[in-house]
Amino acid sequence: MKLTIKELAGRLGAELTGGAGSPDEPITGVGPVERASESEVTFVTDDKHRAAMTQSRAGAAIVAARIDGFNRPQLIVTNVNTALIKTLNLFAPELKAAPEGIDPTARLGENVKTAKGVSIGPGVVIDDGVEIGSNSIVGSGCKIGENSKLGENCRLDSNVVIYHNCSLGNNVVVQANTTIGSTGFGYSFIDGAHRLIPHNGGVVIEDFVEIGANCCIDRAKFGHTTIGAGTKIDNLVQVAHNVVIGKCCLIAALVGISGSCRLGDGVVLGGQVGLKDNIEIGAGTMVGAQAGVMGSVPAGQKLLGTPAVKKEEALRIMCLSMRLPKMAEQLKQLSKRIERLEAAEDDKK
Amino acid sequence: MKLTIKELAGRLGAELTGGAGSPDEPITGVGPVERASESEVTFVTDDKHRAAMTQSRAGAAIVAARIDGFNRPQLIVTNVNTALIKTLNLFAPELKAAPEGIDPTARLGENVKTAKGVSIGPGVVIDDGVEIGSNSIVGSGCKIGENSKLGENCRLDSNVVIYHNCSLGNNVVVQANTTIGSTGFGYSFIDGAHRLIPHNGGVVIEDFVEIGANCCIDRAKFGHTTIGAGTKIDNLVQVAHNVVIGKCCLIAALVGISGSCRLGDGVVLGGQVGLKDNIEIGAGTMVGAQAGVMGSVPAGQKLLGTPAVKKEEALRIMCLSMRLPKMAEQLKQLSKRIERLEAAEDDKK
Amino acid sequence: MKLTIKELAGRLGAELTGGAGSPDEPITGVGPVERASESEVTFVTDDKHRAAMTQSRAGAAIVAARIDGFNRPQLIVTNVNTALIKTLNLFAPELKAAPEGIDPTARLGENVKTAKGVSIGPGVVIDDGVEIGSNSIVGSGCKIGENSKLGENCRLDSNVVIYHNCSLGNNVVVQANTTIGSTGFGYSFIDGAHRLIPHNGGVVIEDFVEIGANCCIDRAKFGHTTIGAGTKIDNLVQVAHNVVIGKCCLIAALVGISGSCRLGDGVVLGGQVGLKDNIEIGAGTMVGAQAGVMGSVPAGQKLLGTPAVKKEEALRIMCLSMRLPKMAEQLKQLSKRIERLEAAEDDKK
């Protein structure tokens, strides 16, 4: 894909301001401020970008307001992020569409329903009673267990495994090697052995959820493990049985959410965060990376640390921990001074 | 599956005590105390459940002793956990049994031995010399490397990969996308590069071990990485080369067990725990979530924190860490008071 | 494989010193000092090994200098690690070579180029424009996306998924169930929803990189996520979009490297380490297990803790944290002594 700067401005509905370059110069891609080449357009979404623009070699820039230090054409837009996504889509590598239809090497059970435009890849195994909505794509090597359902416009990348009785809404994306509906880690210790508690429940994944690669979403013992609409999950994340995640949450990589946790809408968990089982995280709460949350938390908090406490408090404790050597020394000095005072006091007796 | 309350009591060998409902009412499933519907049976395994029973809408309850605040039929049993597992199995979703035999798309090498009742799914690849015991199920897309052995009644879910010379006992379950027998992370730095130390050993997994989804169990450099009978492993767990895990351990999600660690029987590791390499964890020791164990530990301990120490000590340290801002303030105040005393002392000279 | 001790010495170019055993005794394998049997050779690479040699039952030992307490034949070599790798390779289990050619069940797109000696396993799916260098092995169930490239002598184990536009150099090993080129976790919040930022970039993996099982390497938004030559990555590791890893790094299991991090050459990250996004880790820096690095770090550091600080400092802080209960008690005592002094002072007024 090649567009002139002027054409790109037109596509974005951007106001084009002049600069040293001609608006008829071609743009062949998008690059970050510090690495974009002369044939690439860059974008400015924060002050760090803005400061670096004087050094940028980019052929043009998408900005919210004209930047003085950059003398190439600028495309002024209302929302740089929206324009950036549009631009990246214009310059996305062209890939062959998944072929419509069911690959002859796919194995479908009885009473499988596939709607219009569905693509089922090579080596896929789909068990009885599965339903797949229109235009959904099931990549090679996937397995979908009995009676599971996919909505419309879903995409399962290669080697995803979905067990029985799981339900995915519309526009759900699941990246490669992820497992959905595995049996959770629930045992009773009876007569000297751990006995598995049967997991009769399923998994419900609502519309527009996106799940990264190599994740695990366990099925419920009763009812459903649920992931709310619009929630996005990074790679290598563990969601245990009976967890209920709200809408529009962001869960970063290597997070572990223990059994029966309930997350409100818009919760954000940083990388490697761990949640104790059976706790509730209020809507909009943000938990910093590597934190360990040991109890329920109201809405709108910012947490950090293990055990997780309010972020400012955690940072203060971290700072003071760094000063522990100094504090130990101060204690020693105070003790000596007291000894001297006590000795002086004794002398007087 | 539908059973009347009376029939369910019969199946469980439970004593049925009366209540507002008729023992001929149908039960269609199992639900937790706070969510069970009128056609579901619930169960009481702890005080929290017991307290919530007055509010439960459940049609019946499985209990160890009659609960006064709940006026529906109660099924009194010796062990509620045992009865719960039985009941859940009665109401488990009915799934088609894995078809006996070897799928025509599976690829078997030379000298592969499969016993009676074995089910080998579509697209499975089994290399030379593999042996699979009776009634074992190998899900679609699995790979089993040369000379590996599965016992009886094993179940490998879809896309599990087992490398060569690994041995699984009887009744072993491995969930989807797990890798067993990968080469461990052992390198020698020679002539400016990390050279892989060949891993000539294998993996031995004993009877009744259950391994979750997307786990990695590395093969040994010498001898065998070993997982003892009855041990249960959650999802996304890393077991490094030459690790020896005892019997009946519980290993929660996202745990990392470094090379050559030795775990006694009945060890419990919480989520995201990390163990330093070459250490020994005594039998029955329990390590709390996110802890980092940096040295060997005797049997029967409860540990927490990084570095992990005894749980009560760790909790006390966590508490005191929270009080660090107060301690810093106290130090400041004490220092001032000493200054005043010193000034008074100086005045007298 | 069976060799006499004398033959093994010959193969290793080792000087053979006498001992109680005959140099014509057969050696059938390699074992660690404390577990090697009489028909196995052991090896001494550190003082711990050396001390334990007096108890070893090994039939022979590979050493850098003669050890007095061990009275069996010793094979003296310049570099024990090099000799150990050679010996382990001599005694490695003999495995069938991957069959040359393209399995009839593999599915190749248009314009796929496979060089001499390539082995493509059963059920593999390779999209248009992929190129695979000579003698590379693609295991069963792998998927390689459009226009991706593998160099020579690469090995993808079963069920590896490589997305489009990824490039692997020569001698790259990727173990089972790993995902390369998945879309990263980059969203803009626009009009009440998280919108995916398209990831137009790819992944570049240089020569001699080895990646463990069940890892995730995300593709870049712009440019390439890059893993430098000779770097080794353990299992279950997350490498986010736009990360650039230098040469000869070691990344242990369950590490999370956030977006746009830059690692110099020879960086070592312990298990479960987490790196904040957009930071730079200088060449040769070593980060201890479970540490959380929250800012850029110069070259040659040793770090530990969350937030990660210099190792000695972190250890000192850890030690002092353990002494917090004592410090709290000291504060209390000091306060009492000051009170007494103050009371005495008051009396005098």
Side-chain angles (χ1 to χ4, degrees):
Chain A
M1 165 68 74
K2 261 190 199 180
L3 289 171
T4 65
I5 294 173
K6 196 157 58 178
E7 285 166 343
L8 177 60
R11 299 275 189 119
L12 297 178
E15 180 192 339
L16 182 59
T17 74
S22 150
D24 295 321
E25 291 288 317
I27 291 295
T28 60
V30 188
V33 171
E34 64 283 0
R35 286 203 314 275
S37 73
E38 281 155 39
S39 66
E40 287 179 322
V41 63
T42 193
F43 55 95
V44 176
T45 53
D46 60 28
D47 287 343
K48 217 172 68 180
H49 287 166
R50 197 168 292 114
M53 278 301 286
T54 53
Q55 308 291 327
S56 182
R57 295 183 308 122
I62 301 170
V63 298
R66 192 176 160 75
I67 291 174
D68 281 339
F70 180 72
N71 75 341
R72 298 299 207 97
Q74 300 188 26
L75 293 77
I76 302 177
V77 297
T78 320
N79 188 324
V80 175
N81 284 317
T82 306
L84 173 60
I85 289 175
K86 265 191 204 167
T87 310
L88 282 166
N89 278 325
L90 286 171
F91 292 105
E94 280 174 56
L95 298 172
K96 213 181 198 174
E100 204 179 310
I102 296 165
D103 191 277
T105 61
R107 176 76 54 92
L108 271 63
E110 293 168 26
N111 300 315
V112 171
K113 288 181 194 155
T114 59
K116 219 180 59 173
V118 156
S119 170
I120 310 286
V124 168
V125 175
I126 297 181
D127 287 347
D128 295 0
V130 166
E131 295 178 19
I132 300 182
S134 59
N135 301 313
S136 284
I137 300 169
V138 180
S140 65
C142 287
K143 160 73 191 270
I144 306 179
E146 233 169 304
N147 296 320
S148 283
K149 281 162 191 43
L150 271 70
E152 302 177 1
N153 299 313
C154 288
R155 198 188 87 212
L156 307 186
D157 291 339
S158 293
N159 295 346
V160 164
V161 176
I162 297 183
Y163 285 76
H164 57 278
N165 291 344
C166 296
S167 160
L168 281 65
N170 300 321
N171 302 293
V172 171
V173 173
V174 184
Q175 295 202 69
N177 285 320
T178 278
T179 304
I180 295 175
S182 36
T183 300
F185 199 63
Y187 293 89
S188 289
F189 195 73
I190 300 171
D191 295 340
H194 302 293
R195 314 276 170 178
L196 182 67
I197 300 170
H199 282 60
N200 289 357
V203 175
V204 171
I205 295 178
E206 298 182 357
D207 298 349
F208 291 101
V209 167
E210 297 182 12
I211 299 173
N214 294 70
C215 288
C216 298
I217 319 282
D218 280 340
R219 65 191 314 107
K221 285 189 280 190
F222 325 102
H224 303 287
T225 304
T226 304
I227 302 182
T231 285
K232 314 296 182 187
I233 295 178
D234 201 351
N235 302 327
L236 292 164
V237 168
Q238 153 74 352
V239 178
H241 49 198
N242 291 77
V243 165
V244 177
I245 299 180
K247 297 185 199 309
C248 293
C249 295
L250 291 177
I251 317 284
L254 290 160
V255 161
I257 305 181
S258 302
S260 300
C261 282
R262 298 169 303 285
L263 279 65
D265 297 342
V267 166
V268 178
L269 304 182
Q272 295 177 323
V273 160
L275 305 187
K276 195 182 166 296
D277 60 288
N278 275 290
I279 64 174
E280 188 153 356
I281 309 293
T285 283
M286 302 173 77
V287 184
Q290 288 195 332
V293 188
M294 285 170 153
S296 291
V297 182
Q301 305 297 305
K302 293 193 180 183
L303 303 180
L304 195 62
T306 300
V309 294
K310 287 192 182 181
K311 192 180 171 183
E312 321 88 87
E313 203 182 329
L315 289 173
R316 210 167 146 217
I317 292 166
M318 282 174 183
C319 273
L320 285 168
S321 295
M322 301 294 154
R323 274 179 46 199
L324 270 174
K326 208 177 159 184
M327 283 172 71
E329 179 58 27
Q330 285 176 322
L331 262 177
K332 215 163 138 188
Q333 293 305 328
L334 290 188
S335 180
K336 277 189 194 164
R337 286 161 68 187
I338 293 175
E339 269 166 42
R340 276 196 295 267
L341 287 166
E342 287 169 339
E345 187 64 29
D346 281 351
D347 285 349
K348 285 172 212 157
K349 283 176 193 164
Chain B
M1 164 68 72
K2 263 191 199 181
L3 289 172
T4 65
I5 294 172
K6 196 158 57 177
E7 285 167 342
L8 177 59
R11 300 275 190 119
L12 298 177
E15 179 192 340
L16 181 59
T17 75
S22 151
D24 295 322
E25 290 288 316
I27 291 295
T28 60
V30 187
V33 170
E34 64 284 358
R35 286 203 316 275
S37 74
E38 280 155 42
S39 66
E40 287 180 321
V41 63
T42 193
F43 56 95
V44 176
T45 53
D46 59 29
D47 287 343
K48 217 172 68 180
H49 288 164
R50 198 168 292 113
M53 278 301 286
T54 53
Q55 307 291 326
S56 182
R57 296 183 306 123
I62 300 169
V63 299
R66 190 175 161 76
I67 292 175
D68 281 339
F70 181 72
N71 75 340
R72 300 298 207 98
Q74 300 188 27
L75 293 76
I76 302 176
V77 296
T78 319
N79 187 325
V80 175
N81 284 319
T82 306
L84 172 61
I85 290 174
K86 265 192 204 164
T87 309
L88 281 166
N89 278 326
L90 287 170
F91 292 106
E94 280 174 57
L95 298 172
K96 213 179 197 172
E100 204 179 311
I102 296 165
D103 191 276
T105 61
R107 176 77 54 91
L108 271 63
E110 293 168 27
N111 300 316
V112 171
K113 289 181 194 156
T114 60
K116 218 181 57 173
V118 157
S119 169
I120 311 285
V124 167
V125 174
I126 298 180
D127 287 348
D128 295 0
V130 167
E131 295 178 19
I132 301 182
S134 58
N135 302 313
S136 284
I137 300 168
V138 180
S140 65
C142 287
K143 160 75 191 269
I144 306 179
E146 233 169 305
N147 296 321
S148 283
K149 282 163 191 40
L150 271 69
E152 301 176 3
N153 299 312
C154 289
R155 197 188 88 213
L156 307 185
D157 292 338
S158 293
N159 295 346
V160 164
V161 176
I162 297 181
Y163 284 76
H164 57 277
N165 291 344
C166 296
S167 161
L168 281 64
N170 300 322
N171 303 291
V172 171
V173 173
V174 184
Q175 295 202 70
N177 286 319
T178 278
T179 304
I180 295 174
S182 36
T183 300
F185 198 64
Y187 293 90
S188 289
F189 195 72
I190 300 171
D191 295 340
H194 301 292
R195 315 277 170 179
L196 180 68
I197 300 171
H199 281 61
N200 288 358
V203 176
V204 172
I205 296 178
E206 297 180 358
D207 297 348
F208 290 102
V209 167
E210 297 181 12
I211 299 174
N214 294 71
C215 288
C216 299
I217 319 282
D218 281 341
R219 65 191 313 108
K221 285 187 279 188
F222 326 101
H224 302 286
T225 304
T226 304
I227 301 183
T231 284
K232 314 296 182 187
I233 296 180
D234 201 350
N235 303 327
L236 292 162
V237 168
Q238 153 73 352
V239 178
H241 49 199
N242 290 77
V243 166
V244 177
I245 299 180
K247 297 185 198 309
C248 293
C249 296
L250 291 177
I251 317 284
L254 289 160
V255 161
I257 305 180
S258 302
S260 301
C261 282
R262 298 168 303 285
L263 278 65
D265 297 341
V267 166
V268 177
L269 304 182
Q272 296 177 323
V273 159
L275 304 187
K276 195 183 166 298
D277 59 288
N278 275 292
I279 65 173
E280 188 153 357
I281 310 292
T285 283
M286 302 173 75
V287 184
Q290 288 196 331
V293 188
M294 285 169 154
S296 291
V297 182
Q301 306 296 305
K302 293 193 179 184
L303 303 181
L304 195 62
T306 300
V309 294
K310 287 192 183 179
K311 192 181 171 183
E312 321 87 88
E313 201 183 330
L315 289 173
R316 209 165 148 220
I317 291 165
M318 282 176 184
C319 274
L320 286 168
S321 295
M322 301 295 154
R323 275 180 47 199
L324 268 175
K326 208 177 157 184
M327 284 173 71
E329 179 58 27
Q330 284 176 322
L331 262 177
K332 217 164 135 187
Q333 293 305 327
L334 290 187
S335 178
K336 276 188 195 163
R337 287 162 69 186
I338 293 175
E339 269 165 41
R340 276 195 296 268
L341 288 166
E342 287 169 340
E345 186 64 27
D346 280 351
D347 285 348
K348 286 172 210 156
K349 284 177 191 164
Chain C
M1 164 68 74
K2 262 192 199 180
L3 289 171
T4 65
I5 295 172
K6 195 158 58 177
E7 284 166 343
L8 177 59
R11 299 277 191 119
L12 298 177
E15 179 192 341
L16 181 60
T17 74
S22 151
D24 294 321
E25 291 289 316
I27 291 294
T28 61
V30 187
V33 171
E34 66 283 0
R35 287 204 312 277
S37 74
E38 279 155 43
S39 66
E40 287 178 322
V41 64
T42 193
F43 56 94
V44 177
T45 54
D46 59 29
D47 286 343
K48 217 172 67 180
H49 287 165
R50 197 168 292 113
M53 278 302 285
T54 53
Q55 307 292 326
S56 182
R57 295 184 306 123
I62 301 169
V63 299
R66 190 176 161 76
I67 292 174
D68 281 341
F70 180 73
N71 76 340
R72 299 299 208 96
Q74 301 188 27
L75 293 76
I76 303 176
V77 296
T78 319
N79 187 324
V80 175
N81 284 317
T82 306
L84 172 60
I85 290 175
K86 264 192 205 166
T87 309
L88 281 166
N89 279 325
L90 287 171
F91 291 105
E94 279 175 58
L95 298 172
K96 213 181 198 174
E100 204 178 310
I102 297 165
D103 190 277
T105 62
R107 177 77 53 92
L108 271 64
E110 293 168 26
N111 301 314
V112 170
K113 290 181 193 154
T114 59
K116 220 182 57 174
V118 157
S119 168
I120 311 285
V124 168
V125 175
I126 298 182
D127 287 347
D128 296 0
V130 166
E131 296 178 18
I132 300 180
S134 59
N135 301 314
S136 284
I137 300 168
V138 179
S140 65
C142 287
K143 159 74 191 270
I144 306 180
E146 233 169 304
N147 296 321
S148 283
K149 281 162 192 42
L150 270 70
E152 302 177 1
N153 299 313
C154 288
R155 197 189 89 213
L156 307 186
D157 291 338
S158 293
N159 295 347
V160 164
V161 176
I162 297 182
Y163 285 75
H164 58 278
N165 291 344
C166 295
S167 161
L168 280 65
N170 300 322
N171 302 294
V172 171
V173 174
V174 184
Q175 295 201 68
N177 286 318
T178 278
T179 304
I180 295 175
S182 37
T183 300
F185 199 62
Y187 293 90
S188 290
F189 196 72
I190 300 171
D191 296 340
H194 302 292
R195 315 274 171 180
L196 181 68
I197 300 170
H199 282 60
N200 289 358
V203 175
V204 171
I205 295 177
E206 298 181 357
D207 297 349
F208 291 101
V209 167
E210 297 182 11
I211 299 174
N214 294 70
C215 289
C216 299
I217 318 282
D218 281 340
R219 64 193 312 108
K221 286 190 278 189
F222 325 102
H224 303 287
T225 304
T226 304
I227 301 181
T231 284
K232 314 297 182 187
I233 296 180
D234 201 349
N235 302 328
L236 292 163
V237 168
Q238 153 73 353
V239 178
H241 50 197
N242 290 77
V243 165
V244 177
I245 298 179
K247 298 186 198 308
C248 294
C249 295
L250 291 177
I251 318 284
L254 289 160
V255 161
I257 305 181
S258 302
S260 300
C261 281
R262 298 169 302 285
L263 279 65
D265 297 342
V267 166
V268 178
L269 304 182
Q272 296 177 322
V273 160
L275 305 187
K276 195 183 165 297
D277 59 288
N278 275 290
I279 64 174
E280 189 153 356
I281 308 293
T285 283
M286 302 174 77
V287 184
Q290 289 195 332
V293 188
M294 286 169 152
S296 290
V297 182
Q301 305 296 305
K302 293 193 179 182
L303 303 181
L304 195 61
T306 301
V309 294
K310 287 191 182 181
K311 192 181 172 183
E312 320 87 89
E313 201 183 330
L315 289 173
R316 209 166 147 217
I317 291 165
M318 283 175 183
C319 273
L320 285 168
S321 296
M322 301 294 154
R323 275 179 46 199
L324 269 174
K326 207 177 159 185
M327 283 172 73
E329 179 58 27
Q330 284 176 321
L331 262 177
K332 216 165 136 187
Q333 293 304 329
L334 290 187
S335 179
K336 276 190 195 163
R337 287 161 68 186
I338 293 175
E339 269 166 41
R340 275 196 295 267
L341 288 165
E342 286 169 339
E345 187 64 28
D346 282 351
D347 284 349
K348 286 172 210 156
K349 282 177 191 164

